[in-house]
Amino acid sequence: WTSLNAAKALEKSFYLDVYRPPVYIIPILVSGIIFSWEKFYIGVIIFQVLLSMLSTILIYKISLFILARRLAGFFTALVVNLSIAVYGWDFMVMTESLSIFLITLITYLILVYFREEKKLLLYYLTGAVTLAIFTKPFFIFLPPVILAVFIINYLLGGSKKQRASLKTIAAGCIIIYLLVVGYSLLNFKVNGFWGMTSVSNVNIFGKILQYEMEHLGDNLNLKSDISCAYTTTVKDNLVGGRFLEPWGFLSQYGWEKNNYVPLGKFAKSIIFEHPFIYIKKSIVLTLELLKNQCPFNDYIALKAVEESAAIPFLSIIDSINIILNKINALYFLIFFSFIEILVYLTFKIWMGIQSKLKAVPITSTGFSSSEFIGITTVVFITLYHYSISAFFSYGDYCRLLAPSYNLIYLLIIYSIFRLIGLSGCLLGIKKS
């Protein structure tokens, strides 16, 4: 509803919403103008379904780039296309469908650049990352991750063109953050809030509650209200039965004023004064999410399945999800990709050191260059989603991981095909 309100306000006059960044607001506005505000959702659904179709094509091409097998590409695209955890977002007025598309597009552009080395692709990449950030500030730290992928590729044998690309990518990062600063300045002028969205203050406050660090703060009034809330709140209203839900707390105790700045200051002062505690807890949470949270059991997607069961034609979704649950159960296979990349990187670095010291050539590792940089890119971007979710958000992790769903499915399918290939090699060795 906040996105819808922002779009309606934008129709009447220039309006910078303090809650929602501008990119997703524009399609809602266009849909409202074309279809009327009573039926604006028709245009939004069409827009998001088209994006999902494009995402399916892109994930197919990414699979081909990495594994060079049409069967792998087809299987990955099929799973992505059937998973309601992916396409269920197409019927929600939320940013997830657009985010899924943009993350898939960003991954595709990176891989296409490494194959074709056309500078224009780097400009497209900068534009796509900018759109992602201005859709969802969750992606604010994505540019350095992409730069790291380019640096790793160059250090492990990239061409001269790819060395030049590092300057372009670094320049793109600077441009992106200048735009973020410019938007923050405009937001401050219009709304009196410095930043992209005031929701960030609530999110970081939620992290302090989640980590039970509120006693380390110095705002006595806020600490008193938190203590009072814990004694009066029913346990069922706590997040996971453990800590206060910040939105309910701030509205009940009157901390919603001034764009939640007091909450943000309270939380940030605790983090800056106790950074090692915060970082340690966040790293532990990142590992817990990777280990324990298969992201496809999303409550919104599951609710959509329950409601669709009443429609005869859509009841087939239940049958499809029985099959997909078998795939989802293989979630643990993503660790195969992580371990394989770690081993490969360690081996390459060691061989590089050896070649420098003893002037011996670097031996083959069984990875093609496109396969290595492709899976490295996918792993880095996927890990980004897990770590940022753990470090900067207090819950609802399935939704936060949604933009990487296509990539997670790709890692599962990739691992299956790699393991089949490795098994074949081992059987071939035994036979010989």
Side-chain angles (χ1 to χ4, degrees):
W1 63 268
T2 51
S3 297
L4 177 59
N5 285 349
K8 287 181 176 179
L10 189 60
E11 182 190 29
K12 297 175 182 177
S13 62
F14 174 78
Y15 175 73
L16 199 66
D17 190 81
V18 75
Y19 287 98
R20 301 299 172 196
V23 171
Y24 188 60
I25 305 304
I26 295 171
I28 297 176
L29 173 61
V30 173
S31 299
I33 293 171
I34 295 174
F35 294 95
S36 80
W37 287 113
E38 287 73 25
K39 297 182 178 180
F40 80 96
Y41 54 86
I42 296 174
V44 173
I45 290 174
I46 292 172
F47 169 69
Q48 293 178 170
V49 166
L50 289 173
L51 288 183
S52 279
M53 293 168 66
L54 290 173
S55 294
T56 305
I57 296 169
L58 291 176
I59 205 68
Y60 171 78
K61 290 180 174 292
I62 292 169
S63 296
L64 283 183
F65 183 93
I66 295 173
L67 277 171
R69 297 180 188 177
R70 290 188 181 277
L71 180 61
F74 173 77
F75 195 48
T76 304
L78 180 65
V79 169
V80 164
N81 204 39
L82 292 178
S83 174
I84 197 167
V86 176
Y87 76 76
W89 300 104
D90 296 348
F91 308 97
M92 310 285 175
V93 185
M94 299 176 74
T95 60
E96 272 60 40
S97 282
L98 181 53
S99 297
I100 291 171
F101 167 73
L102 287 171
I103 288 302
T104 309
L105 175 63
I106 287 166
T107 306
Y108 173 73
L109 288 172
I110 293 171
L111 302 192
V112 172
Y113 173 78
F114 287 131
R115 183 176 61 201
E116 300 180 3
E117 297 186 345
K118 293 180 180 178
K119 197 171 185 178
L120 185 62
L121 291 166
L122 300 180
Y123 300 146
Y124 293 153
L125 178 60
T126 301
V129 175
T130 303
L131 286 176
I133 292 171
F134 280 86
T135 298
K136 198 171 185 177
F138 178 91
F139 301 113
I140 192 73
F141 301 112
L142 186 58
V145 174
I146 293 172
L147 180 59
V149 170
F150 275 77
I151 291 172
I152 288 172
N153 182 66
Y154 171 68
L155 292 177
L156 297 181
S159 65
K160 289 183 179 179
K161 276 190 176 181
Q162 289 177 17
R163 181 174 66 181
S165 73
L166 296 179
K167 295 180 181 178
T168 306
I169 292 293
C173 291
I174 293 170
I175 291 169
I176 288 169
Y177 287 124
L178 286 175
L179 290 172
V180 170
V181 170
Y183 185 85
S184 299
L185 280 169
L186 188 60
N187 211 356
F188 183 76
K189 185 176 181 180
V190 175
N191 297 307
F193 172 76
W194 169 267
M196 295 195 67
T197 165
S198 60
V199 174
S200 60
N201 281 329
V202 183
N203 286 338
I204 204 68
F205 175 66
K207 291 303 300 181
I208 295 301
L209 296 176
Q210 180 182 16
Y211 290 163
E212 299 176 345
M213 296 175 68
E214 61 270 12
H215 65 281
L216 300 172
D218 55 6
N219 188 325
L220 297 180
N221 291 333
L222 183 51
K223 289 169 69 175
S224 175
D225 285 347
I226 292 171
S227 178
C228 179
Y230 271 116
T231 58
T232 58
T233 300
V234 180
K235 190 174 181 181
D236 291 342
N237 293 334
L238 300 177
V239 178
R242 285 183 48 240
F243 59 94
L244 298 174
E245 205 296 312
W247 289 101
F249 167 80
L250 65 89
S251 60
Q252 184 177 355
Y253 285 85
W255 290 96
E256 71 270 35
K257 299 174 183 177
N258 192 23
N259 295 313
Y260 324 115
V261 169
L263 299 181
K265 284 184 176 179
F266 176 77
K268 290 168 188 173
S269 66
I270 293 173
I271 294 171
F272 290 142
E273 291 174 13
H274 307 275
F276 295 111
I277 297 175
Y278 185 84
I279 291 170
K280 179 184 175 182
K281 287 177 177 288
S282 296
I283 291 173
V284 170
L285 180 56
T286 302
L287 296 175
E288 287 177 357
L289 291 179
L290 279 166
K291 179 183 175 183
N292 301 325
Q293 183 129 7
C294 180
F296 306 115
N297 297 320
D298 187 276
Y299 71 95
I300 295 179
L302 292 175
K303 184 67 177 176
V305 172
E306 290 173 9
E307 292 182 357
S308 68
I311 306 172
F313 175 74
L314 292 180
S315 62
I316 195 172
I317 290 175
D318 290 330
S319 302
I320 291 171
N321 272 275
I322 291 173
I323 299 170
L324 281 174
N325 283 336
K326 304 294 184 184
I327 302 294
N328 295 349
L330 299 175
Y331 168 74
F332 68 92
L333 286 177
I334 66 169
F335 293 102
F336 173 82
S337 304
F338 299 162
I339 294 168
E340 195 172 30
I341 290 301
L342 181 61
V343 170
Y344 179 83
L345 281 172
T346 304
F347 179 78
K348 286 283 282 186
I349 292 168
W350 170 249
M351 290 304 297
I353 294 171
Q354 290 290 95
S355 66
K356 293 285 186 184
L357 294 176
K358 300 180 181 179
V360 295
I362 298 177
T363 57
S364 173
T365 58
F367 259 118
S368 68
S369 59
S370 63
E371 183 179 354
F372 165 69
I373 196 60
I375 205 64
T376 299
T377 303
V378 172
V379 165
F380 272 46
I381 294 177
T382 302
L383 285 175
Y384 172 87
H385 282 78
Y386 280 91
S387 58
I388 296 299
S389 297
F391 272 79
F392 297 104
S393 192
Y394 58 85
D396 202 6
Y397 294 113
C398 288
R399 181 178 63 83
L400 294 168
L401 295 171
S404 64
Y405 280 1
N406 283 355
L407 302 186
I408 295 173
Y409 273 127
L410 173 61
L411 288 175
I412 294 172
I413 305 303
Y414 166 83
S415 298
I416 292 171
F417 275 82
R418 279 288 291 177
L419 288 169
I420 291 171
L422 291 172
S423 299
C425 290
L426 290 173
L427 289 173
I429 290 170
K430 288 181 179 180
K431 287 179 181 178
S432 62

